[in-house]
């Protein structure tokens, strides 16, 4: 019901959508591109670069550049070196241990919760995608595998119905992507997942929570050992362990696929 007082009040202006400043938009785009290259190890751990190189490569101004680098630094992908630019954060054996230690606890938990609740056809499509070998460079093959593998494990977590578990596992799988790209990509080999995914599907569809959890843990343990071996080899071969003396500055230009 409209009252006299209501009619006497001036109409409220309609809310307007605030435009994103151009510097912020370009900074976010540069962040997305750089993050993708760091995670895929096309920018290797330990690589040094300057603001000027980022500005030139992405054709952005100083404000946009600093927005991108600030976001990357906040997420731990790069670190600032006063008067010497930035460095892509190194990967260590401890990183591998920590990521997989958490996965070994969370993956069986997700499998237990998802038992009897999964979509078999969906999981089988993702499993087949994990094994598909596309006719491109090894780096892109690994990117394709990692995306399909991530989808497989998150589909199980989603079926478990625990939102916090899903979000935590999603973050761990993002971190694992960089470890696998460094280990397998630099070594030029594709991960071998044997038949663990297939066995997990059978147990999950049958509602056998104990067996599904057991296979999930075994799968993570096996993949951890493979990844650790390859990461150590890549750290040695590419000399990307943080050295005592400052390394030569690596260029920002795209290198070939690992």
């Amino acid at each position: 019901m409209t009252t006299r007082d209501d009619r006497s009040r001036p109409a409220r202006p309609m809310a307007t959508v605030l435009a994103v400043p151009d510097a912020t938009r370009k900074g976010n785009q540069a962040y997305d591109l750089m993050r993708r290259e760091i995670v895929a190890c096309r920018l290797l751990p330990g690589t040094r670069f300057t603001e000027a190189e980022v500005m030139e490569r992405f054709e952005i101004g100083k404000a946009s550049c600093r927005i991108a680098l600030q976001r990357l630094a906040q997420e731990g992908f790069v670190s600032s070196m006063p008067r010497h630019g930035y460095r892509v954060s190194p990967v260590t054996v401890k990183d591998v241990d920590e990521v997989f230690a958490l996965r070994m606890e969370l993956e069986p938990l997700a499998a237990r919760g998802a038992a009897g609740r999964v979509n078999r056809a969906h999981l089988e499509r993702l499993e087949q995608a994990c094994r598909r070998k596309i006719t491109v460079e090894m780096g892109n093959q690994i990117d394709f595998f990692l995306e399909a593998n991530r989808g497989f494990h998150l589909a199980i977590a989603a079926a478990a119905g625990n939102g916090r578990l899903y979000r935590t596992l999603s973050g761990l799988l993002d971190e694992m992507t960089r470890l696998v790209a460094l280990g397998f990509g630099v070594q030029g080999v594709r991960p071998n997942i044997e038949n663990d995914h297939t066995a997990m599907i059978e147990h999950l569809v049958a509602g056998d929570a104990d067996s599904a959890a057991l296979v999930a843990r075994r799968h993570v343990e096996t993949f951890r050992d493979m990844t650790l071996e390859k990461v150590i080899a890549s750290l040695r071969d590419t000399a990307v362990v943080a050295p005592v003396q400052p390394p030569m500055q690596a260029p920002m230009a795209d290198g070939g696929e690992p």
Side-chain angles (χ1 to χ4, degrees):
M1 179 177 178
T2 303
T3 65
R4 183 183 300 274
D5 289 340
D6 290 333
R7 291 194 299 269
S8 64
R9 293 178 186 144
R12 293 182 179 179
M14 292 185 65
T16 57
V17 178
L18 296 177
V20 177
D22 193 52
T24 301
R25 179 179 59 81
K26 290 183 177 179
N28 288 338
Q29 290 173 346
Y31 157 82
D32 288 335
L33 292 171
M34 288 189 69
R35 185 184 188 279
R36 195 174 308 148
E37 294 198 354
I38 291 171
V39 168
C41 282
R42 284 185 277 271
L43 274 177
L44 285 171
T47 300
R48 290 190 174 187
F49 58 90
T50 65
E51 284 188 359
E53 288 172 319
V54 175
M55 291 165 62
E56 180 179 1
R57 178 173 182 180
F58 296 105
E59 299 180 346
I60 56 178
K62 185 177 288 290
S64 298
C65 175
R66 289 184 173 174
I67 288 171
L69 293 175
Q70 184 177 45
R71 288 188 64 186
L72 289 168
Q74 286 174 345
E75 295 183 9
F77 287 110
V78 303
S79 57
S80 173
M81 300 180 298
R83 298 183 299 280
H84 291 92
Y86 291 80
R87 182 179 68 166
V88 178
S89 298
V91 168
T92 67
V93 171
K94 186 172 183 286
D95 294 325
V96 180
D97 284 339
E98 289 181 351
V99 168
F100 280 94
L102 288 172
R103 282 195 67 198
M104 278 192 288
E105 297 299 324
L106 296 181
E107 296 273 9
L109 180 63
R112 284 185 179 280
R117 304 174 62 183
V118 297
N119 181 324
R120 179 174 196 140
H122 181 50
L123 288 181
E124 287 180 340
R125 283 194 298 271
L126 291 168
E127 154 62 12
Q128 288 301 312
C130 289
R131 297 183 182 278
R132 182 182 172 195
K133 293 184 179 180
I134 53 179
T135 55
V136 294
E137 296 98 337
M138 180 59 68
N140 284 337
Q141 282 193 34
I142 291 172
D143 288 349
F144 189 86
F145 164 81
L146 286 169
E147 186 61 29
N149 184 69
R150 183 179 188 276
F152 180 88
H153 288 277
L154 287 182
I156 294 173
N162 185 325
R164 288 180 174 82
L165 172 61
Y166 180 94
R167 290 190 295 273
T168 304
L169 189 56
S170 177
L172 285 173
L173 290 170
D174 283 343
E175 290 190 65
M176 191 194 74
T177 295
R178 188 175 180 224
L179 304 178
V180 174
L182 174 62
F184 291 89
V186 171
Q187 294 302 305
V189 294
R190 181 186 171 93
N192 181 8
I193 57 174
E194 296 294 341
N195 296 312
D196 288 345
H197 283 183
T198 303
M200 286 175 65
I201 292 172
E202 294 300 328
H203 294 314
L204 290 168
V205 171
D208 187 345
D210 289 342
S211 295
L214 185 64
V215 174
R217 184 176 182 87
R218 182 188 70 199
H219 174 66
V220 176
E221 287 176 341
T222 301
F223 201 62
R224 175 201 61 192
D225 293 343
M226 289 192 298
T227 302
L228 186 58
E229 176 188 352
K230 295 296 185 294
V231 165
I232 290 173
S234 294
L235 291 175
R236 180 187 64 242
D237 293 349
T238 59
V240 291
V241 179
V244 176
Q245 297 298 323
M248 293 291 289
Q249 181 172 304
M252 280 294 295
D254 278 330
E257 292 288 357

